[in-house]
Amino acid sequence: MRFNSQWLDQRPYVIAIFISLLLIIWLATGLGNEKINPDITAEKRAPVPQVKVATFVAEQVANTVNLYGRTEPDRIVTLQAQVKGTITQVFAKRGSFIEQGDVIAAIALNELPAQLEHYRTLLKQRRIDYYGAKELFKDGYQGESALAQKLSDVTDAKAELARIEKDIGNTTIVAPFAGVLNERYVEVGDYVGIGEDIAMVADLDPLVIRAHITENQVIKVKEGQVANIALLGEKQIQGKLRYIASVANENTNTFKAEIAIENGNYQYLAGISAEVELPLEQVSAIKLSPALLALDEMGNIGVKSVVDDHVVFTHINMVKSDETGVWLSGLGDEEQIIILGQGFVRPGDKVNPVSSEP
């Protein structure tokens, strides 16, 4: 032993080599274990997160196109004075219902009756002159130019007579169609000039909702289909899609649409906000709270569910929505959707799902 000890004392490098070999063997053993069992090492470092899930079952719902607009009159016109004069009578009150042809107001005739008699007499005289010139032309005592002048005089008298008759007719302001006298701008004694407003008449039957359809929606709807309408402060009613524009608006790239509502008793007013639902085909959809929606790394909307204890992100399409939730297509007939903890996990992560009621 004394020999061995002296021998080692004289050779310290042997001890250093021996210690180095032990360190290399220990390090190699540790790295090998990590390479052989990387999953076990990772699991020891990071515990599996727990998420709460609920099972949602799909149901058949009607896919819809939702539009927003306001109710408007089918037609609206402002009647203006075609002759000048004083208002002598008014026959309809503002807000009253009028039929086509009903008299709204009358303008004083003034000198129009006298002018009518004058041009009637003038026309009769010029016709006599024309027939006399025509006979003279046949006998060769009248030139063709003189005969043409007499015919022109007859035509001028006819035109003036027609103008006076039209002016007399325009002194009576009548409704061009049935509707509501929404506004009357004159009273008895008012003087109106040509072009001044007399009254405004609105046709409220049918009542029309004018809205705009996107280029993706326009291929799904057709004229004549039934529309479900929710008017502000009213119960849901039905209308009909009566018109779709064939050319899109250049600025918005949308198509103008008109939905007509029967309004025979004028119970619905113009100017009310309206939401229109155009039902399409039946689709399978799951109803969720909007709070359960998520975005992927590309900004696509979807939901996170659990399949075989791993998180799956599924892109969805929104079918319809209301105050109680949204209906989504693109999912299966039954899905385990994460309802708590979805913000802390990513697609592909292993999780420990805990079931709960939706």
Side-chain angles (χ1 to χ4, degrees), residues 175-317:
F177 48 77
V180 176
L181 184 64
N182 192 60
E183 189 63 71
R184 197 190 68 210
Y185 303 105
V186 297
E187 297 292 345
V188 174
D190 286 343
Y191 181 85
V192 293
I194 296 176
E196 291 191 25
D197 294 344
I198 300 292
M200 178 189 293
V201 180
D203 182 7
L204 301 181
D205 184 28
L207 201 61
V208 177
I209 299 172
R210 292 180 172 89
H212 292 85
I213 303 177
T214 67
E215 57 184 338
N216 292 327
Q217 296 171 332
V218 73
I219 59 176
K220 301 177 183 178
V221 298
K222 59 182 179 180
E223 292 183 8
Q225 75 175 85
V226 174
N228 299 317
I229 302 165
L231 296 180
L232 183 64
E234 297 285 348
K235 63 181 181 180
Q236 192 173 75
I237 58 178
Q238 284 194 334
K240 185 174 291 187
L241 180 61
R242 74 174 189 180
Y243 169 74
I244 304 173
S246 299
V247 179
N249 183 290
E250 292 183 359
N251 297 324
T252 63
N253 208 30
T254 57
F255 296 81
K256 183 179 179 180
E258 293 183 356
I259 298 91
I261 307 170
E262 291 186 5
N263 194 27
N265 54 1
Y266 297 97
Q267 62 176 318
Y268 306 120
L269 304 178
I272 304 298
S273 297
E275 181 178 351
V276 180
E277 183 182 84
L278 300 174
L280 305 177
E281 75 281 355
Q282 294 279 329
V283 296
S284 178
I286 290 178
K287 183 181 180 182
L288 297 178
S289 167
L292 301 182
L293 300 180
L295 297 175
D296 64 7
E297 295 178 353
M298 302 299 294
N300 299 312
I301 191 169
V303 295
K304 292 179 181 178
S305 59
V306 175
V307 178
D308 296 331
D309 294 339
H310 285 80
V311 179
V312 175
F313 183 88
T314 304
H315 297 142
I316 51 86
N317 295 311

Side-chain angles (χ1 to χ4, degrees), residues 12-322:
Y13 60 88
V14 175
I15 298 174
I17 293 172
F18 180 74
I19 294 173
S20 298
L21 287 173
L22 290 177
L23 287 173
I24 291 171
I25 293 171
W26 178 75
L27 290 173
T29 303
L31 292 173
N33 289 336
E34 287 188 357
K35 291 181 179 179
I36 295 171
N37 302 302
D39 294 337
I40 296 175
T41 303
E43 287 181 3
K44 288 180 179 179
R45 292 177 180 176
V48 177
Q50 189 178 79
V51 295
K52 186 177 289 187
V53 298
T55 301
F56 292 84
V57 179
E59 56 183 303
Q60 291 294 315
V61 296
N63 194 4
T64 61
V65 169
N66 294 314
L67 308 175
Y68 301 90
R70 298 176 62 191
T71 56
E72 300 179 16
D74 184 32
R75 295 177 290 178
I76 188 168
V77 63
T78 298
L79 304 177
Q80 297 178 326
Q82 301 299 311
V83 295
K84 59 184 178 180
T86 302
I87 300 296
T88 58
Q89 289 178 298
V90 290
F91 297 93
K93 297 180 180 180
R94 287 182 298 177
S96 61
F97 302 104
I98 54 178
E99 296 294 334
Q100 183 177 5
D102 284 355
V103 178
I104 297 173
I107 302 174
L109 291 172
N110 298 325
E111 73 283 357
L112 290 176
Q115 291 183 10
L116 178 65
E117 186 62 28
H118 168 72
Y119 283 110
R120 281 177 176 173
T121 303
L122 182 62
L123 177 59
K124 184 176 180 181
Q125 175 194 339
R126 289 184 174 178
R127 279 176 173 167
I128 292 173
D129 291 344
Y130 170 72
Y131 291 136
K134 190 175 182 180
E135 292 298 323
L136 291 175
F137 176 74
K138 289 181 179 180
D139 295 336
Y141 298 109
Q142 184 78 60
E144 186 175 357
S145 176
L147 179 63
Q149 181 59 52
K150 295 297 182 181
L151 180 59
S152 176
D153 292 341
V154 172
T155 304
D156 290 343
K158 281 183 177 180
E160 287 298 324
L161 181 60
R163 181 183 64 81
I164 296 300
E165 290 175 342
K166 183 179 180 181
D167 286 346
I168 291 175
N170 286 334
T171 60
T172 303
I173 310 301
V174 298
F177 48 77
V180 176
L181 184 64
N182 192 60
E183 189 63 71
R184 197 190 68 210
Y185 303 105
V186 297
E187 297 292 345
V188 174
D190 286 343
Y191 181 85
V192 293
I194 296 176
E196 291 191 25
D197 294 344
I198 300 292
M200 178 189 293
V201 180
D203 182 7
L204 301 181
D205 184 28
L207 201 61
V208 177
I209 299 172
R210 292 180 172 89
H212 292 85
I213 303 177
T214 67
E215 57 184 338
N216 292 327
Q217 296 171 332
V218 73
I219 59 176
K220 301 177 183 178
V221 298
K222 59 182 179 180
E223 292 183 8
Q225 75 175 85
V226 174
N228 299 317
I229 302 165
L231 296 180
L232 183 64
E234 297 285 348
K235 63 181 181 180
Q236 192 173 75
I237 58 178
Q238 284 194 334
K240 185 174 291 187
L241 180 61
R242 74 174 189 180
Y243 169 74
I244 304 173
S246 299
V247 179
N249 183 290
E250 292 183 359
N251 297 324
T252 63
N253 208 30
T254 57
F255 296 81
K256 183 179 179 180
E258 293 183 356
I259 298 91
I261 307 170
E262 291 186 5
N263 194 27
N265 54 1
Y266 297 97
Q267 62 176 318
Y268 306 120
L269 304 178
I272 304 298
S273 297
E275 181 178 351
V276 180
E277 183 182 84
L278 300 174
L280 305 177
E281 75 281 355
Q282 294 279 329
V283 296
S284 178
I286 290 178
K287 183 181 180 182
L288 297 178
S289 167
L292 301 182
L293 300 180
L295 297 175
D296 64 7
E297 295 178 353
M298 302 299 294
N300 299 312
I301 191 169
V303 295
K304 292 179 181 178
S305 59
V306 175
V307 178
D308 296 331
D309 294 339
H310 285 80
V311 179
V312 175
F313 183 88
T314 304
H315 297 142
I316 51 86
N317 295 311
M318 188 176 299
V319 177
K320 67 175 184 177
S321 64
D322 59 20

